[in-house]
Every structure is written in structure tokens, then in C-alpha cells.
Amino acid sequence: MSELLFEIGTEEIPAGYIQPALEVLAAEAAKKLNGLELAFESIRSFGTPRRLAMAITGLQSRQADRRQEHIGPSKKAGFDANGNLTKAAEGFARSRGLEPGQLQVVTTPKGEYLMAVEDVKGQETAVLLPALLESLVRELVFPKSMHWADYSMTFARPIQWLLVLYDGAVVPMAFEGLTSGATTRGHRFMAPEEVEINGIDSYLAALASRFVMVDPAERRAKVVEEVRRAVSERAGAQGAQPVLHVGLLDTVTNLVECPCAICGSFDRKFLQLPQEALVTSMREHQKYFPVIGPDGKLLPLFVAVNNTRIADQALAASGHERVLRARLEDGLFFFNEDRKRPLADRCQELHGIVFQNKLGTMQAKSKRLAALAGLLADRIAPELRDDAVRAANLAKADLLTTMVGEFPSLQGIMGRVYGLHDGEKPAVAQAIEEHYLPIRAGGEVPQSLLGALVGIADRLDTLVGCFAIGEKPTGNKDAFGLRRQAIGLISLLRGLHISLSLKAVATAALSGYAGVIEQKPEVVNEVVHFIRLRFENEQIATGLPQELVEAATSVGFDDPIDCLRRIEALNQIRGQENFGILAGSFKRIRNIIKDNRTTEIDEALLSEPAEKELFAALVAVRSKALPLLEQRAYQPALLAMLEIKNPVDRFFDAVMVMAENASVRQNRLNLLTALGELILRVGDISRMHVEKE
């Protein structure tokens, strides 16, 4: 077994590109090696702003010799009436490098065919590597790529060198002006010279000695260590702690090769800014870590992570402080200017912000949100109606503030802050912020029902409007983030246990666009189906079997919370032996009744003891199950339905459903249909039946 070391040396790659590129590099390398039938033990990726690299250990030194079988024309087409090979057979043999006489006749499920057996000699790995590695470089995709010099290829940033070592020897590669070698480069400023490498261990040691931490996980841990050290040295006695935001940690890790943290300070007057605004200013624009005290409140401190070791840390800190001071002065000015006008006064100016070219302005959207939020409140919490309408009217007003213009991620947050300053009810101000939650899948959901109502209205308005004008997600295209909107809607309903009719609310949302877009009823069904697919994927991702989830959603998804209850009931009961048998019987029932929808049963036509017993059992089970179903107590209802298993079995053993007498036949179909309708109140359990081999 051998080892391969491959490094692409570049100009500084944007931090957000690095980790995805490393994941793709390792995954594609594994896929290509598997495709070439080359075994390996492990693939480890490394990356810094100036390099993307991978180390493969236990790499098979050559392909195994293999035998390939190729099926050609049928025997009938391969031989003529005299038993001689036809031109089709001879052409097939030549295409595989064989003499016609070397063809064999084999029997396949489709009949007898000609087969060519080809003995393929395995190639040396060293011979295969240049093409494989070049394809890896050319196929890496970045959010934005660039051309340089006169070369045709694109990459995140210009490639400066290629290190390619296979068992310590250089693998010759040359493309687009690049030539592979055995050298890498250390830190751009502290050790920029080239250094020769002879293997993976040599690579790691050489870079470590030249101020490059090439392993992202180790570098991330070092960033954390450095940030904590800097705070401890500056204000550790005060119980100060850095705020180690995960996203900022990931970014800073991929901005540096040699982390060195410095703790600076800023004027206390800036603490009058909302904490979120201060944190955002430091994190998004300067990539600084905020610092908090024991009470969780911000201290006038920050931590910057440099890419070089600095002798005069006080001088370096003062440089960072000057940059941050200018940014915070702007923020404080914007904050004070914004508060001179109440949010409510800005609402009329929302006509200047386009929501979507075909769907009108943010002002029109705000009016639709107010109407829809009021309708939702009427159905769910009538006492919240006035507050829901007020919050919906103000929900988008902070988009016109200079703070949100400068820091878009503060939308909603500044709405809450300014709302409280204007004297709005705290619940209304909170709802302005919360209607954006959850921001991402798995994110925090609103704490208040009021915020959830406005959030539901916002998402359904967007979904219905975009679907109505044909802006539906296709493949990777989702310009308006509709998948995220649907997932957020599901999270809202689930997180606050809000039970509602999606169709009814989506219909109301569509009517809000009257006079703007055509009122097509099918749009509502498309939106609900779209949400259902996101719901199913989410449930299956938790580990539930697909057939269980679809058993519940296939019979009704208008109310996702009700659907969740039915899924839970089916999941709790599916392990019982009787349930598996009943699911099989129900599948048989579904096949027999087909499109029959009539459930009226004439007792006078029940002649066989088994069908009389089944009817009596149905009546008894319905009396138990229907009240439970009305209460949405689905598990007890299913347990009651299990009592019908034995009568169903005896019915199928003793009764001919498709009797010659049309009335008797229809009556028996109606009996089975009535039984089926009862079970379908919970789910189509026929989907959960597994045939035993």
C-alpha cells in the first residue's frame, strides 16, 4: 500500500469557500478512486487560505487484473440460418478486441445472447494519478471563480503551485502553465520560502515549523485558545469571557494560517447601542469576537485574531481600535437618527421597496400580512387580534431604517428595539422580531404566539404569491428561498403546537392578491403539496420509515399538527403483531374495493355468519373509535381498531366478496369500504404492510 500527498497552492481563498471545497475534494477523490477500482484506507483533507490539500493513505499500488463480460446481440441476431456468425456478431467482437470465434452464448433472463469476455490488465496507480488529479482541480466549483493570465481554467483564486507526491516521488503533471513538484510554501510573511517535502509526515512537520497550522480542526482549536488567552490577560480578573460565535469561529479559522489574538477596547459610550447591533458590527464587518462579563452583558472589549505574531501588541491593538471606533461611531449616529422617527411613520414609505416585481411592494405585503394575521388570530387566539394586526403592520417598517440598511441581519431586531422606544406594547415589539424566526432549519422558533401568527402569515403570503406567478423551486433554483420558507412554517406550527387548516389559510392568502394576480384555486393545492414534501422529508430524516410517514400524510395533510399526532400513533403501534396482520388485510381490502365509495350496509343482505360477525365488530369498534378520533386520541383509536383483525380474517376465509348477486356483492363491498374509511381516519396502513419472503 502507498500514500499520496496532493496540495493546490493558491492566492488567498475566501474563508467561506475553503471547508466546502475540502469536503468536495475528499468526496470526489474517493468516488474517482472507487471508479478506478483502487482501494485506499483513508483520505484526510487539509486547508488554509493559501492551500487545499489531501493525504491518502493505504492506496492500492495498481489495479487488479479483471475480467469484463459484455452482452451483445441476441443469439437469433448473431447467427444466420446456416449457423454462421452475422455481421452484427462480428462487429460486436471487433468492438471488444476479440476474434468472432471467441464469442460465447449465455442464457440471460431475456433469453440467449452473445457475450464477449475481455481480460483487462490493471494499470499502475502512478499512471492513473495525473488524469485523476487534474480532473479534481478542474471540477472543483466555487460560489465565484476567476480566470487569470491567458489560461482557460477557472478557480477560486490563481493557483501558484502544485505539490504531488506518490510514495515520496513527484507525480509528473503539467496543465495550464502549472507543473507539479515536491515543494510547498510556509507562511506568506514569516516563512515565505519554498521547502522540499518527501511525504505526509514531512509535509505536516515542515509547515508547522514554518508557522502554518494546516489542519483546520487544530487551527480552530488554536483560535479558541488564543482568543481566551487574550481576554484572560486583558480582563480575566473581571470574569470576562469571549463570545465564541460558531460562524465567526469558522470564518476566522479559514482567514489565518497562524492565529494570534489581541484584545482591544472601545469607548463605553457605544454600549448604549443595542447589544445585537454592537455584536453584529464587530462580528460581520471586522471579524472581532465580543466580550461579556459575568452578568452576560457586553464589556467595552473585543478580540481580533491576526495572521502573524506581533511583537508590539499594544500598537496592533490600537490599530484595531481605530478601525472599530469609526464603525461604531457610524452605528451610534444611525441609531440616534433612526429613533427620531417612529416606526409607524415609516410604513407609508414601504411603497418604495419592491417585494417582487409581479407581486407589488412591501407596503402592499404589509397590508396583506395584517389581514392574514388578523384572520389567524380570529381562528386561534381572538384576544390577540388587535396586537397581531399591529405587529404585522409594523413588521417590515425597520427595513427603512439606516441601521438595517447598514446591517441587514438586524432586521426584526431593530424593529423590536425601535418599537419599544416608540412606546409600542412589549408583546407587539417582540412579535416584530420573532416573525422572522426560525432564521434557518433547526433554528430558534418564536417564544410568543403573537410572533408565530405574524410569521405564519408572512411565509404563506410569500409561498402563495410566488407559486401563483410560477416562481416555483426547480432543482437548485430557489430564488426566493421557498424551501426555507416552508421548513420555517412547519417549525413554527410544530414548535408552538399550532393546529390550523393550511388550505383555508393559503386560500385566504391567495385572496389577498386579488386584483394583482389571477386567482387560481390549484395554487393552494400546489403550495400545500410543496409543504407536505418538506414535512415528509423532515420526518424521514428523524429516522421514521418512509412508508409510515406517507401512511399518515397520504390520507390528509391539511393540518400538520394533526398529521404529527397520527404519525406518532402509527409509530407507537406498528410493532404489535396484530397491527402487521391488520395492515396486510387492509391492503387486501383496498385492492378489492378499488374506487367504491358507498358505505351504506343493508343488514338484511348479510347472510354468511362471518359477514354478520364482521358487521357487528365494525359497529362495536366504531362506537369505541369514533369518539377517540374526534378527540384526536389516535393511539387508543388504533388499539380499538385492532379488535377487528380476527373478524376480518374469518370474513376473508369464509365469504366470497364478489358474489354473483349484484346487491349482495355491493353490500359486501360497502361493508369493507366502511371499515376502510374508519382506518383511513388515522392512516393508509396498507402502505406499512411488508410482504414476507
Side-chain angles (χ1 to χ4, degrees), residues 81-129:
N82 298 321
N84 297 318
L85 289 171
T86 63
K87 292 187 179 297
E90 292 175 349
F92 170 62
R94 285 195 300 272
S95 71
R96 296 299 171 186
L98 301 177
E99 294 296 325
Q102 293 177 281
L103 296 178
Q104 303 175 20
V105 177
V106 294
T107 302
T108 73
K110 295 182 178 181
E112 291 186 307
Y113 281 77
L114 295 181
M115 181 176 74
V117 178
E118 186 179 4
D119 292 319
V120 180
K121 190 172 183 60
Q123 290 183 276
E124 296 291 330
T125 299
V127 175
L128 298 169
L129 284 176

Side-chain angles (χ1 to χ4, degrees), residues 544-545 548 566-575 638 688:
L544 291 174
L548 184 155
R566 291 185 283 113
I567 288 173
E568 183 180 357
L570 290 168
N571 190 38
Q572 289 174 343
I573 205 169
R574 66 189 172 104
L638 279 172
M688 300 171 65

Side-chain angles (χ1 to χ4, degrees), residues 252 256-262 288 304-310 316-317 320:
V252 171
V256 299
E257 292 189 321
C258 178
C260 182
I262 296 174
Y288 295 164
V305 179
N306 290 341
N307 190 32
T308 56
R309 295 179 180 175
I310 299 170
H320 289 295

Side-chain angles (χ1 to χ4, degrees), residues 350-351 359-369 461 512 516:
L350 285 170
H351 67 80
L359 300 178
T361 66
M362 276 296 181
Q363 184 184 52
K365 182 176 178 68
S366 294
K367 291 179 179 178
R368 291 194 303 271
L369 292 192
D461 176 81
V516 179

